[in-house]
Amino acid sequence: MTASLFSPVTLGEIELSNRIVMAPMTRDRAGPGDVPTDLMVAYYAQRASAGLIVTEGVQPSPVGKGYWRTPGIHSAAQVEGWRKVADAVHARGGKIVMQLMHCGRVVVPANRGFDAEVIAPSAIPCPDKVPGPDGVPQDCAMPRAILAAEIPALVEEYAEAARNAVGAGIDGVELHCASGYLINQFLNPVSNQRDDDYGGSIENRIRFPIAVLQAMAGAIGPGRVGFRISPGNPYNGMDSADPAATFGPFVKAADGLGLAYLHVVDMGLAELDTLALLRANYSGPIVTNNNLKADSAAALLDAGRAEAVSFGRAFIANPDLVERIAAGAPLAKPDYARLYTGEELGYTDYPVWVG
């Protein structure tokens, strides 16, 4: 019943040996200077049997950091750290892309360990609290509204991050356009109340996100660029009303760029068939995610609703998830108390299945 999960597929210029994708998941294990550690190298290498690994969200610049111990891709040391990750994954026959995540207004300054301003489309703080260095949720900082004249430099930060990722040997990049972070903040009218060319109408609100995708495609080639959305997700203070009005035009505009794939968190909305909306507006490969099991994931592939499927939590406790699904083996449960703490505990210490 799950045979379709194990057929190869090509997303842009990235050839996958199977259609099981590891979804991006924040794990808060970066070292000093937000440099990937040897522990991170081991974590990703353990999961290299996935057709594709999407890394945790990575800061394209210091201003993009909002959470404790998340890695960056804007310093020479960070690039070298990611080179070790890429080499380890490739040595085991895997493919890996880097998710670029600028948090925008979703920032607790104490998480950074350095001074940097907080920016957003508009000077409206994120209403949700974010864990600080001690894990206790804190109010987010008041952001400064980005000036229109600053937009080109911000776009270039993403392009440079994409170049750095590929320079480190990473196979491509995924732009995080979901979960209430900077790109999503521009798309959503509750966080974007600008009255210039980057706010107001949907044509204006997609202008910056499309410019970023264009810049990254120009920097490393469109076939190595993907993007992730979550229509209807209220996380980090997003207005979840009428997601089709925003994401239909957005993915239609992105469709003309010839990108590698569109990665969607299907929220299972009663009022919207999200995958149908995307198929109507986007002709490229689709990777879908959200609480999938092996059988339900394979059914989506068999029905032609997606080209690949991604799993998040299942990969936390099952580094050999691909092999377990192939064998019909039981899945281990994650240690949720150690998602973001514990170093190797709850991170690299999950055993492989022995049949």
Side-chain angles (χ1 to χ4, degrees), residues 258-334:
L259 303 177
Y261 65 87
L262 164 58
H263 190 179
V264 59
V265 181
D266 187 343
M267 301 300 294
L269 303 173
E271 69 277 13
L272 177 67
D273 184 334
T274 299
L275 291 178
L277 171 73
L278 301 184
R279 280 294 192 213
N281 290 280
Y282 190 79
S283 61
I286 292 174
V287 181
T288 189
N289 168 277
N290 207 9
N291 295 322
L292 294 173
K293 306 296 183 184
D295 287 347
S296 60
L300 288 173
L301 298 179
D302 292 340
R305 306 205 78 200
E307 279 64 48
V309 289
S310 71
F311 298 86
R313 283 167 287 186
F315 262 114
I316 292 175
N318 300 277
D320 56 342
L321 179 64
V322 173
E323 291 81 3
R324 290 188 188 227
I325 291 175
L331 300 186
K333 303 295 185 183

Side-chain angles (χ1 to χ4, degrees), residues 215-236:
M216 295 196 310
I220 64 172
R224 296 194 179 277
V225 177
F227 66 114
R228 194 180 205 222
I229 61 174
S230 56
N233 187 351
Y235 192 62
N236 284 323

Side-chain angles (χ1 to χ4, degrees), residues 329-354:
L331 300 186
K333 303 295 185 183
D335 180 353
Y336 288 105
R338 291 194 170 99
L339 288 182
Y340 310 114
T341 60
E343 299 307 311
E344 75 280 0
L345 300 178
Y347 189 60
T348 56
D349 64 339
Y350 290 107
V352 298
W353 176 71
V354 178

Side-chain angles (χ1 to χ4, degrees), residues 3 9 21 44 97 113 118 128 142 155 183 196 204 208 305 335 342:
V9 67
V21 175
Y44 285 113
V97 298
V118 178
D128 294 356
M142 171 64 76
V155 170
I183 299 294
D196 61 6
N204 284 352
F208 172 69
R305 306 205 78 200
D335 180 353

Side-chain angles (χ1 to χ4, degrees), residues 100-122:
L100 298 180
M101 181 179 87
H102 191 304
C103 286
R105 69 180 189 170
V106 186
V107 175
V108 169
N111 284 337
R112 287 174 162 173
F114 51 80
D115 289 331
E117 62 180 349
V118 178
I119 59 173
S122 301

Side-chain angles (χ1 to χ4, degrees), residues 164-204:
N164 286 345
V166 171
I170 299 290
D171 296 297
V173 296
E174 175 179 291
L175 180 64
H176 199 341
C177 306
S179 303
Y181 301 118
L182 184 65
I183 299 294
N184 202 175
Q185 291 161 30
F186 269 91
L187 291 170
N188 201 289
V190 75
S191 50
N192 182 350
Q193 298 184 11
R194 302 174 70 95
D195 59 6
D196 61 6
D197 289 345
Y198 297 96
S201 68
I202 182 55
E203 291 78 15
N204 284 352

Side-chain angles (χ1 to χ4, degrees), residues 142-169:
M142 171 64 76
R144 174 182 69 78
I146 301 163
L147 301 176
E150 296 172 317
I151 295 288
L154 188 56
V155 170
E156 177 55 28
E157 284 183 4
Y158 282 97
E160 183 64 14
R163 284 189 286 266
N164 286 345
V166 171

